[in-house]
Amino acid sequence: MVETLGKVDEAVQQVASALEEYERRNPSSECTVYRYNPAAIRIRIIDPAFEGVSRGDRHDIAVAALKGLTGRVISQISVLLCLAPGERHMLDMEFENPSRSYS
């Protein structure tokens, strides 16, 4: 099940729905989405299938999963973090303890 953090608006819900479909097709994956500010949505996908796959190819896989979203929603995605289990990235901390650029 996709983890949504913080405020869930219509755009975040649409992203979460697309990610739920990704998780159905990739049952070992874990997806998280949250709204960072009024103009930015952040996404993290952790998937064992990303092991040994280039960052560019991972991004292409994730973008394909989001292809049904409207341009308005796609334009709000500011972070699309695609990791294999155990990998760490500086932005990964934001998903563990999300900050907001607004109160």
Side-chain angles (χ1 to χ4, degrees), residues 1 3 23 25 28 49 51 59 61 64 69 79 82 98:
M1 178 173 200
E3 182 177 10
E23 284 184 341
R25 289 190 321 264
S28 297
E51 190 73 43
H59 187 262
I61 292 165
L69 298 174
V79 171
C82 303

Short mmCIF file of all heavy atoms in Angstrom, two decimals, residues 1 3 23 25 28 49 51 59 61 64 69 79 82 98:
data_model
loop_
_atom_site.label_atom_id
_atom_site.label_comp_id
_atom_site.label_asym_id
_atom_site.label_seq_id
_atom_site.Cartn_x
_atom_site.Cartn_y
_atom_site.Cartn_z
N MET A 1 0.84 -1.18 0.00
CA MET A 1 0.00 0.00 0.00
C MET A 1 0.89 1.25 0.00
O MET A 1 1.84 1.35 0.77
CB MET A 1 -0.91 -0.01 1.23
CG MET A 1 -1.77 1.19 1.32
SD MET A 1 -2.92 0.98 2.68
CE MET A 1 -4.12 2.14 2.20
N GLU A 3 2.34 4.68 0.82
CA GLU A 3 2.32 5.52 2.01
C GLU A 3 2.19 6.98 1.58
O GLU A 3 2.96 7.45 0.74
CB GLU A 3 3.61 5.33 2.81
CG GLU A 3 3.64 6.13 4.08
CD GLU A 3 4.89 5.89 4.92
OE1 GLU A 3 5.83 5.25 4.43
OE2 GLU A 3 4.90 6.37 6.05
N GLU A 23 2.73 -0.72 -7.51
CA GLU A 23 2.95 -1.71 -6.45
C GLU A 23 2.23 -3.03 -6.75
O GLU A 23 2.75 -4.10 -6.43
CB GLU A 23 2.48 -1.18 -5.09
CG GLU A 23 3.42 -0.17 -4.49
CD GLU A 23 2.99 0.27 -3.10
OE1 GLU A 23 1.81 0.09 -2.72
OE2 GLU A 23 3.86 0.81 -2.40
N ARG A 25 1.80 -4.29 -9.72
CA ARG A 25 2.61 -4.97 -10.73
C ARG A 25 3.98 -5.37 -10.19
O ARG A 25 4.63 -6.26 -10.76
CB ARG A 25 2.78 -4.06 -11.95
CG ARG A 25 1.51 -3.89 -12.77
CD ARG A 25 1.77 -3.19 -14.09
NE ARG A 25 2.73 -2.11 -14.01
CZ ARG A 25 2.45 -0.82 -13.87
NH1 ARG A 25 1.20 -0.43 -13.76
NH2 ARG A 25 3.39 0.09 -13.82
N SER A 28 6.99 -6.35 -4.54
CA SER A 28 8.07 -6.15 -3.58
C SER A 28 8.43 -4.68 -3.41
O SER A 28 9.29 -4.34 -2.60
CB SER A 28 9.32 -6.94 -4.01
OG SER A 28 9.04 -8.32 -4.00
N ALA A 49 13.75 -4.52 -7.99
CA ALA A 49 14.01 -4.59 -9.44
C ALA A 49 14.98 -3.50 -9.89
O ALA A 49 15.54 -3.59 -10.99
CB ALA A 49 12.70 -4.49 -10.21
N GLU A 51 17.80 -2.89 -8.50
CA GLU A 51 19.17 -3.34 -8.23
C GLU A 51 19.93 -3.52 -9.55
O GLU A 51 19.47 -4.22 -10.45
CB GLU A 51 19.15 -4.67 -7.46
CG GLU A 51 20.48 -5.09 -6.93
CD GLU A 51 20.92 -4.24 -5.75
OE1 GLU A 51 20.08 -3.97 -4.87
OE2 GLU A 51 22.11 -3.87 -5.72
N HIS A 59 14.43 5.93 -13.55
CA HIS A 59 13.56 7.09 -13.74
C HIS A 59 12.57 6.83 -14.87
O HIS A 59 11.37 7.13 -14.75
CB HIS A 59 14.41 8.33 -14.02
CG HIS A 59 13.63 9.59 -14.06
ND1 HIS A 59 13.20 10.17 -15.23
CD2 HIS A 59 13.18 10.39 -13.05
CE1 HIS A 59 12.53 11.26 -14.95
NE2 HIS A 59 12.50 11.44 -13.65
N ILE A 61 11.40 3.98 -15.88
CA ILE A 61 10.41 3.01 -15.39
C ILE A 61 9.36 3.72 -14.55
O ILE A 61 8.15 3.50 -14.70
CB ILE A 61 11.11 1.89 -14.58
CG1 ILE A 61 11.96 1.03 -15.51
CG2 ILE A 61 10.07 1.04 -13.83
CD1 ILE A 61 12.96 0.12 -14.79
N ALA A 64 7.07 5.97 -16.62
CA ALA A 64 6.08 5.16 -17.34
C ALA A 64 4.90 4.81 -16.44
O ALA A 64 3.75 4.77 -16.89
CB ALA A 64 6.74 3.91 -17.90
N LEU A 69 -1.16 10.28 -15.60
CA LEU A 69 -1.46 11.52 -14.87
C LEU A 69 -1.54 12.70 -15.83
O LEU A 69 -0.89 12.72 -16.87
CB LEU A 69 -0.38 11.79 -13.82
CG LEU A 69 -0.24 10.74 -12.71
CD1 LEU A 69 0.96 11.06 -11.84
CD2 LEU A 69 -1.52 10.67 -11.89
N VAL A 79 10.38 15.76 -6.97
CA VAL A 79 11.36 14.72 -6.62
C VAL A 79 10.76 13.39 -7.01
O VAL A 79 9.62 13.07 -6.65
CB VAL A 79 11.69 14.73 -5.11
CG1 VAL A 79 12.53 13.52 -4.73
CG2 VAL A 79 12.39 16.01 -4.71
N CYS A 82 14.18 6.98 -6.97
CA CYS A 82 14.03 5.56 -7.27
C CYS A 82 15.24 4.82 -6.71
O CYS A 82 16.36 4.98 -7.22
CB CYS A 82 13.94 5.34 -8.78
SG CYS A 82 12.59 6.25 -9.57
N PRO A 98 9.69 14.13 6.90
CA PRO A 98 9.38 15.16 5.91
C PRO A 98 9.35 16.57 6.50
O PRO A 98 8.80 16.80 7.57
CB PRO A 98 7.99 14.78 5.41
CG PRO A 98 7.74 13.40 5.85
CD PRO A 98 8.61 13.17 7.05
#
